[in-house]
Each structure stands twice: as structure tokens, then as C-alpha cells.
Amino acid sequence: TKLMTLYLTFAALDSGRVSLGDALPVSLAALNAPPTKMGMQPNGTVMVRDAVMGLVTRSANDAAVLLAESLGGSEGNFARQMTLKARQLGMSSTVFRKASGLPDPEQVTTSRDMARLANALLRDFPHYYPVFSVLSYSYRGRSLENHNRLLACYAGGDGLKTGYTNAS
């Protein structure tokens, strides 16, 4: 799910709707997102660059909510945009309800649809692909370690995202 959040973020970056240096206001919903988090401050801002890297490395749910609200007006609106983009990419069995991928009974996907999304990311945004192999990222003096342990121990491993929920 976070790959689609990143797909739409990369599209917004390339279209000029946002830039990596833009400061996004931290909402109460982002602040209260369940762990894993990157550690946002109340009444603060987070640069788009930091939110992207928090999402990629730490798999930060607060970053997913922040980007969704900033790009879609609300997480619900953003999730509808995610589902629409999924259809455009040929992901016919996917419905998004949250930008983070946290459980929702109406949120579903398939391995085939995720493979389509991974291929679309590589095809449409090759210039952002290097972020997926970053092992750690420093945010506010805290190291956000990449959850993808294969990057450090598998020669040739270059990323995208790992993730799971008990429901999945």
C-alpha cells in the first residue's frame, strides 16, 4: 500500500504540485497514527523529502497519513485516488482505504496487482528508485533504519518495500 502512496507522491513531485523541500503541516491524525512512526512533532512540519524517506526506510505510518492528507485533502480522498490509479495501472483486484496499509476490512489486493504496481514504479519513476535501497535515514537526529533487512545481507538487493500486517 505504501508503494502506491509513494507512486502518487512521485507523480505529484514530477508534476510540480509539491517539491522535496516543501514543509507539510503535521495534523493530529498523522501525529496519532499507530506505530511504526518517524517521530513527528505536534504543531510542526515535515519536509516532503523526510516524509518520503520515513515511509521508505521506517515504513512510517505517520508519514503515510501526512502525505495522504497533504496531497489528497484527507486520507479518505487520497485512498480513492490510490484506487483510481490502481485501476489505471491494471490493478483490477485492489481497493485502498488507507495510505499506510494498516488493516481495513474493505482494503484488499493481490500479489499480481502488487507486481503490477512495482513494475509501474520502476517504469514511471526510475529516477526515484535509488531511495528504495537506502539502509538508514537521519530525521531530527534519529536514525530511521530500513525494515528491509535483505538490503544489508543479500548481494544485489535493491529494495522497494517490505511490509505486513497480521491480517495480511
Side-chain angles (χ1 to χ4, degrees):
T1 302
K2 288 177 177 133
L3 289 177
M4 182 60 85
T5 298
L6 288 164
Y7 186 100
L8 292 181
T9 301
F10 295 159
L13 285 163
D14 281 3
S15 73
R17 285 185 43 217
V18 295
S19 68
L20 289 171
D22 286 352
L24 307 177
V26 175
S27 70
L28 192 56
L31 196 62
N32 290 327
T36 304
K37 299 182 179 199
M38 62 184 285
M40 298 176 181
Q41 299 298 309
N43 301 314
T45 61
V46 175
M47 286 194 307
V48 172
R49 174 184 299 103
D50 292 330
V52 167
M53 295 309 296
L55 200 58
V56 168
T57 57
R58 186 76 179 141
S59 201
N61 295 319
D62 52 359
V65 172
L66 178 78
L67 290 167
E69 291 178 335
S70 297
L71 297 173
S74 71
E75 189 173 12
N77 285 340
F78 189 75
R80 284 185 282 283
Q81 293 172 15
M82 293 169 70
T83 301
L84 178 62
K85 179 52 70 176
R87 291 300 171 277
Q88 292 169 355
L89 296 174
M91 299 168 63
S92 59
S93 299
T94 297
V95 175
F96 292 109
R97 292 291 183 244
K98 295 183 180 181
S100 64
L102 289 172
D104 182 295
E106 296 177 1
Q107 184 161 267
V108 294
T109 193
T110 64
S111 297
R112 180 181 306 244
D113 280 0
M114 287 293 106
R116 288 179 198 267
L117 176 55
N119 285 327
L121 268 167
L122 294 170
R123 179 193 67 225
D124 298 342
F125 304 108
H127 46 291
Y128 294 115
Y129 191 70
V131 303
F132 292 107
S133 62
V134 172
L135 295 175
S136 66
Y137 183 75
S138 181
Y139 174 69
R140 299 178 54 88
R142 178 177 168 217
S143 181
L144 305 177
E145 304 297 321
N146 199 313
H147 282 214
N148 188 346
R149 302 288 183 238
L150 288 174
L151 293 174
C153 67
Y154 181 76
D158 59 2
L160 281 187
K161 284 278 306 120
T162 61
Y164 74 94
T165 63
N166 288 336
S168 67

